[in-house]
Amino acid sequence: MEIGRLDEYLYDLENRIQEETEEKLTDAWIDFVNHKKKSGYFAPERIKVSEPGIKWPEIMINDAIEDYTRMAISELAKCSSMLERGGGELLSIRANYGTGIIPTMFGAPFFIMPYENNTLPCTRNLVKGEGVIEKLLEDGVPDLRAGISRRVFEFAEFYKEAIRNYPKIQKYVHVYVPDLQGPLSLTENLMGSDMYIDLYEEPEQIEAVLQLTTDTIIAMHKEWFSYFPAFSKDMCVDWGMLHRGSVMIRNDAAMNISGDCYEEFVQRYDQQILDAFEGGAIHFCGKGDHYIDRIADMRRMYAINMSQPEWNKMDIIYRHTIEKDIQIIGLNPKETTRASSAGIDLKGNVYSGVALSAWQKE
């Protein structure tokens, strides 16, 4: 399908955004974050839907990462779909360049997936040996425009300029932080699966890399907020969901270690990030019931986002989240239905909505 000018899509979206609808939805989310709902679960919908006035294209991921106009249209198409179906998430987009943004800043090779897979890019590990990790540690926090990060910030500048004549898009389409991952996931991306052995054989080096990735995540968040500040001083949007704090840590790699190992090696680095941004949320794919108690003990840890409740003992998850007023955002509706049918009171602390893993399409 031929791609039109970006202004065609911005104009369509601008004219379909209904301020009253977006204000009511935003207020409902703020009430949820502030624990105004005391029972059941939160599942809002827009009070009015809005059909598109033009045909929005489906853009392949590999095309989007090579072209800022296509990236913008690809992301804004999700907002168009949200307005069309009356979904309950806030309108939001991001610079969608995959999990390799920070690893490429350290020199990890950017790896673009086969075109037909239509899957986000990733990175290859750094080659161990020959002083590679030692040099990385010696150099410290890298240039924030190194690697694919240059495209991330160039997209921010491009998009900021593109929407300057569209006030409703500026106000109601939230631009959230790119996928900066978390300290453990980044350390694994850089060092490969040998990292899990090195936690025991070379713990000092692993901890040094964890500290370096932590410092880099904090620096990148601060730089991004200079372009697009968080929703408010103490709340932010991720994947269209509002939560308290200004950061969401992606912690997928923690499913591969024990709770004790998380507490000993990782927890303090996640805590540094939460402390730097008025707290926030933690995302994990796969299994998390083995360390959820450690997450729940962290200062300013306000919410979790999990992708596969079916892989977890949800009674353990609930005991350390909703029972402690820690919210779950984006819990699969199948699980909220199951919990309600089983007589489990979610205490108003759960947003029932889509929480996709990186590899899922729908």
Side-chain angles (χ1 to χ4, degrees):
M1 179 179 179
E2 185 176 345
I3 305 297
R5 294 181 302 108
L6 178 56
D7 276 330
E8 295 178 34
Y9 303 102
L10 291 171
Y11 182 83
D12 179 68
L13 202 62
E14 177 80 8
N15 284 280
R16 290 163 56 206
I17 292 174
Q18 303 169 71
E19 293 183 86
E20 180 185 5
T21 296
E22 297 307 312
E23 289 289 344
K24 286 187 175 180
L25 181 63
T26 301
D27 288 344
W29 271 101
I30 292 172
D31 284 347
F32 168 70
V33 172
N34 286 328
H35 298 277
K36 296 289 182 66
K37 188 173 177 60
K38 300 300 183 182
S39 64
Y41 56 86
F42 179 56
E45 294 180 348
R46 280 175 170 77
I47 57 176
K48 292 182 180 179
V49 298
S50 178
E51 299 288 333
I54 60 174
K55 176 71 173 177
W56 284 74
E58 292 186 14
I59 295 177
M60 300 292 279
I61 288 172
N62 288 14
D63 293 330
I65 63 176
E66 295 295 336
D67 181 86
Y68 300 134
T69 295
R70 283 178 166 78
M71 175 62 76
I73 295 171
S74 175
E75 288 293 295
L76 291 168
K78 300 170 188 176
C79 299
S80 174
S81 176
M82 187 69 65
L83 293 178
E84 185 176 8
R85 61 185 174 84
E89 285 97 17
L90 300 174
L91 302 176
S92 64
I93 73 165
R94 70 176 176 181
N96 200 23
Y97 291 88
T99 61
I101 296 169
I102 288 181
T104 65
M105 293 164 60
F106 288 108
F110 194 51
F111 183 77
I112 298 176
M113 303 295 281
Y115 185 88
E116 62 276 9
N117 287 7
N118 199 29
T119 300
L120 284 168
C122 56
T123 53
R124 298 187 186 277
N125 310 134
L126 295 173
V127 178
K128 268 193 90 173
E130 300 180 359
V132 171
I133 302 301
E134 289 77 8
K135 180 68 163 56
L136 177 148
L137 293 171
E138 180 183 337
D139 291 344
V141 174
D143 177 0
L144 299 185
R145 298 297 191 282
I148 204 69
S149 181
R150 175 182 59 81
R151 294 192 205 177
V152 169
F153 288 112
E154 285 181 357
F155 174 78
E157 294 166 358
F158 168 86
Y159 180 76
K160 201 172 183 69
E161 173 64 21
I163 64 171
R164 63 187 175 90
N165 294 322
Y166 299 92
K168 288 193 285 186
I169 290 176
Q170 290 179 49
K171 184 174 183 179
Y172 296 112
V173 177
H174 305 278
V175 184
Y176 62 106
V177 177
D179 192 346
L180 303 181
Q181 291 288 292
L184 185 65
S185 295
L186 290 178
T187 299
E188 182 190 40
N189 285 343
L190 291 170
M191 303 185 72
S193 57
D194 284 350
M195 177 199 75
Y196 297 106
I197 298 173
D198 291 343
L199 280 169
Y200 297 96
E201 293 188 349
E202 299 183 55
E204 290 183 1
Q205 184 179 78
I206 296 297
E207 290 182 39
V209 177
L210 285 166
Q211 184 63 64
L212 176 58
T213 55
T214 298
D215 294 340
T216 305
I217 289 170
I218 292 172
M220 284 289 287
H221 269 85
K222 290 179 177 178
E223 183 71 6
W224 184 260
F225 288 149
S226 72
Y227 289 91
F228 297 101
F231 179 87
S232 66
K233 180 182 178 182
D234 63 346
M235 295 183 192
C236 73
V237 173
D238 276 284
W239 295 311
M241 301 175 292
L242 190 66
H243 62 83
R244 189 166 299 285
S246 300
V247 66
M248 180 179 283
I249 300 169
R250 275 74 167 173
N251 231 347
D252 296 337
M255 70 178 293
N256 299 321
I257 61 176
S258 69
D260 289 342
C261 188
Y262 174 81
E263 181 176 359
E264 180 178 354
F265 291 105
V266 184
Q267 187 174 24
R268 61 185 175 276
Y269 303 106
D270 286 348
Q271 186 67 70
Q272 288 179 39
I273 297 171
L274 293 174
D275 288 344
F277 296 103
E278 302 291 332
I282 288 180
H283 160 82
F284 58 85
C285 290
K287 190 172 175 61
D289 55 22
H290 62 297
Y291 77 110
I292 190 65
D293 56 333
R294 272 69 168 195
I295 293 177
D297 284 343
M298 295 169 69
R299 296 183 304 277
R300 297 180 173 184
M301 217 299 294
Y302 299 118
I304 67 163
N305 172 257
M306 57 187 297
S307 300
Q308 286 92 14
E310 67 274 14
W311 292 0
N312 289 267
K313 295 177 180 177
M314 290 305 296
D315 59 326
I316 297 176
I317 296 290
Y318 292 143
R319 188 184 317 143
H320 293 287
T321 54
I322 62 173
E323 296 293 337
K324 298 179 179 180
D325 265 353
I326 294 172
Q327 296 180 323
I328 303 177
I329 54 174
L331 187 61
N332 191 308
K334 290 181 180 179
E335 170 56 23
T336 53
T337 299
R338 182 204 70 81
S340 297
S341 298
I344 299 171
D345 184 5
L346 300 177
K347 299 189 174 185
N349 279 328
V350 172
Y351 166 61
S352 177
V354 176
L356 296 181
S357 303
W359 61 86
Q360 291 176 302
K361 299 293 185 183
E362 298 178 355

